């Protein structure tokens, strides 16, 4: 069984499409292999239902429209509300006979941080992560990118916690190949997640010097990194001049080997200090470097700690495996069989 097939992953909230992109009309999103269609209802809230019409199985994201806040199928025009109930059959003068088969499966859907979040289960295990600075008027939100990567959700998240790769993968941007970094990490407790802090020396090339307003070829990040199970990472960087640049990244699982990478940042400076376009361009370049190497890794993510080799700096990734393992063993109906496969259920002390 591939890791992402465990039903526990259906019980989390995931960001999918931006609310801005839904302004154009209904759109499809594949979440954990399930086809979903999203749209904005009359009050501007996002709604999500199974992308398959119960009438003749057409995809509700194809040639559909939003009519009075409901989703109208592109094939014969049946309309559906956010709760999945059929609200109109135009060939019957809008009447809808009582029949359970007229319904489409609806998912829980919420707007947060400018994105439509979806949970495939009626019973999410955790709330949508609370991100620092999101409601702070002293910070601005900078949208950075939304794109699909052919990589596994947990490999992408582990990469965000992995500082050993910076010198090599990012040698064209923030890394210094001749000086592999091995910062001392201070791991801190975080329920259903990983949290650590450290000091990280980084290269500071020309475009980034302007973004940071630091005219030096190297600088130091005071780093606070958090991963919230299963797909959110928050990288909080404070620079010597006091500037805060906090990256909020997501690896929403499309399937085992594909994610929708969504990323934005919260900055303590203003547009006049560093244009959002320039800030986003630099972080996109760093992200493209990660993408190239992550797409070369196996699409599966073995949880058993004996499956791959490790070094001391991999400790956040190992703790991440223990968190995921504990979640699966606690909530998967097949937990007894899985215990041996995953290498025990005890969470290692961070
Ligand atoms: S297939 Fe959707 S209305 Fe007929
Ligand atoms: Fe990276």
């Amino acid at each position: 069984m591939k890791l992402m097939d465990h039903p526990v992953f259906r019980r989390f909230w995931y960001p999918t499409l931006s609310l801005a992109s839904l302004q154009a009309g209904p759109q499809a999103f594949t979440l954990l292999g399930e086809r979903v269609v999203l749209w904005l209802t009359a009050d501007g809230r996002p709604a999500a239902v199974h992308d398959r019409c119960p009438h003749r199985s057409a995809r509700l994201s194809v040639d559909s429209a939003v009519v009075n806040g409901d989703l109208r199928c592109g094939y014969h025009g049946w309309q559906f509300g956010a709760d999945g109930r059929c609200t109109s059959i135009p060939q019957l003068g809008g009447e809808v006979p009582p029949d359970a088969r007229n319904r489409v499966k609806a998912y829980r859907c919420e707007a947060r941080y400018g994105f439509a979040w979806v949970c495939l289960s009626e019973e999410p295990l955790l709330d949508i992560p609370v991100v620092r600075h999101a409601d702070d008027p002293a910070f601005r939100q900078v949208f950075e990118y939304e794109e699909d990567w052919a990589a596994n959700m947990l490999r992408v998240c582990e990469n965000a916690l992995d500082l050993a790769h910076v010198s090599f993968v990012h040698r064209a941007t923030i890394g210094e190949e001749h000086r592999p970094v091995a910062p001392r990490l201070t791991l801190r407790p975080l329920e259903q997640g990983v949290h650590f802090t450290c000091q990280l020396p980084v290269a500071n090339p020309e475009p980034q010097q302007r973004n940071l307003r630091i005219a030096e070829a190297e600088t130091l990040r005071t780093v606070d990194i958090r991963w919230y199970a299963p797909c959110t990472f928050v990288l909080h960087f404070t620079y010597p001049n006091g500037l805060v640049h906090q990256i909020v990244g997501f690896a929403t699982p499309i399937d085992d080997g594909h994610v929708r990478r969504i990323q934005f940042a919260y900055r303590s400076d203003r547009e006049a200090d560093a244009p959002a376009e320039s800030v986003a361009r630099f972080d996109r370049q760093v992200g493209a470097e990660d993408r190239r190497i992550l797409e070369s890794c196996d699409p599966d993510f073995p949880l058993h700690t004996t499956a791959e080799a490790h070094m001391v700096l991999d400790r956040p990734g190992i703790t991440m495996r223990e968190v995921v393992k504990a979640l699966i063993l606690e909530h998967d109906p097949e937990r007894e069989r899985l215990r041996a496969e995953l290498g025990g259920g005890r969470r290692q002390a961070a």
Side-chain angles (χ1 to χ4, degrees):
M1 185 181 193
K2 285 187 176 163
L3 181 65
M4 300 308 296
D5 291 335
H6 286 292
V8 70
F9 291 111
R10 297 173 62 87
R11 297 190 58 190
F12 295 97
W13 287 100
Y14 297 98
T16 60
L17 297 161
S18 68
L19 300 176
S21 71
L22 288 172
Q23 297 284 354
Q27 287 188 53
F29 192 92
T30 303
L31 180 60
L32 289 165
E34 192 136 329
R35 286 175 166 185
V36 178
V37 56
L38 294 104
W39 77 99
L40 295 179
T41 61
D43 59 6
R45 287 181 216 227
V49 300
H50 188 39
D51 192 5
R52 181 184 181 280
C53 183
H55 176 224
R56 284 296 178 270
S57 81
R59 290 191 68 176
L60 287 166
S61 56
V62 174
D63 295 339
S64 53
V66 179
V67 177
N68 300 325
D70 288 349
L71 177 66
R72 187 182 70 195
C73 180
Y75 201 174
H76 309 95
W78 291 24
Q79 292 177 23
F80 301 91
D83 61 0
R85 272 189 313 122
C86 183
T87 53
S88 171
I89 297 179
Q91 294 79 2
L92 301 181
E95 289 295 308
V96 180
D99 184 336
R101 289 173 302 181
N102 293 339
R103 240 189 138 83
V104 61
K105 183 178 178 184
Y107 305 105
R108 297 182 66 147
C109 188
E110 299 268 341
R112 197 74 55 86
Y113 313 124
F115 286 80
W117 290 65
V118 174
C119 179
L120 297 176
S121 162
E122 272 305 305
E123 296 174 322
L125 288 177
L126 303 174
D127 292 334
I128 295 172
V130 174
V131 172
R132 280 190 294 172
H133 307 313
D135 300 316
D136 185 344
F139 282 74
R140 60 178 168 139
Q141 187 184 30
V142 174
F143 176 78
E144 295 193 331
Y145 54 89
E146 280 177 276
E147 57 192 30
D148 291 352
W149 292 9
N152 173 278
M153 172 184 80
L154 291 168
R155 294 234 184 248
V156 175
C157 291
E158 179 176 40
N159 167 264
L161 309 182
D162 169 358
L163 299 182
H165 80 278
V166 172
S167 314
F168 296 93
V169 171
H170 301 304
R171 56 190 171 273
T173 51
I174 54 170
E176 296 171 299
E177 209 173 5
H178 62 279
R179 197 173 68 169
V181 293
R184 223 185 132 81
L185 309 185
T186 304
L187 273 102
R188 301 171 186 278
L190 181 64
E191 201 56 41
Q192 317 295 12
V194 175
H195 178 197
F196 65 90
T197 53
C198 71
Q199 300 284 317
L200 182 70
V202 287
N204 191 36
E206 219 275 304
Q208 183 73 332
Q209 290 185 17
R210 285 197 302 273
N211 290 337
L212 303 181
R213 295 165 78 92
I214 296 174
E216 287 159 23
E218 288 184 356
T219 187
L220 186 71
R221 286 177 176 175
T222 298
V223 170
D224 178 306
I225 292 184
R226 297 168 200 229
W227 166 71
Y228 299 93
C231 81
T232 302
F233 47 90
V234 179
L235 317 177
H236 188 283
F237 305 140
T238 309
Y239 289 95
N241 61 0
L243 173 73
V244 173
H245 177 82
Q246 176 181 257
I247 288 173
V248 184
F250 307 97
T252 298
I254 293 168
D255 58 27
D256 292 295
H258 297 86
V259 295
R260 173 67 51 91
R261 268 290 281 118
I262 295 168
Q263 187 163 303
F264 49 83
Y266 290 104
R267 299 265 300 194
S268 62
D269 62 356
R270 292 284 165 264
E271 179 72 17
D273 302 320
E277 191 277 321
S278 170
V279 169
R281 186 166 0 107
F282 188 78
D283 282 356
R284 266 205 308 275
Q285 189 182 346
V286 174
E289 292 165 348
D290 285 319
R291 177 181 183 172
R292 179 175 160 75
I293 208 81
L294 283 165
E295 290 189 339
S296 80
C297 298
D298 290 349
D300 203 6
F301 186 88
L303 288 183
H304 204 304
T305 44
T306 61
E308 292 178 327
H310 307 286
M311 59 179 163
V312 172
L313 264 178
D314 293 328
R315 209 159 153 221
I318 291 170
T319 308
M320 197 178 122
R321 284 166 173 75
E322 296 301 327
V323 170
V324 174
K325 204 184 295 184
L327 279 166
I328 290 176
L329 291 175
E330 194 178 339
H331 299 287
D332 199 304
E334 288 195 74
R335 59 181 160 269
E336 290 315 318
R337 186 184 62 72
L338 291 169
R339 202 171 290 279
E341 185 186 310
L342 300 178
R346 252 177 310 137
R347 180 170 168 184
Q348 288 177 353

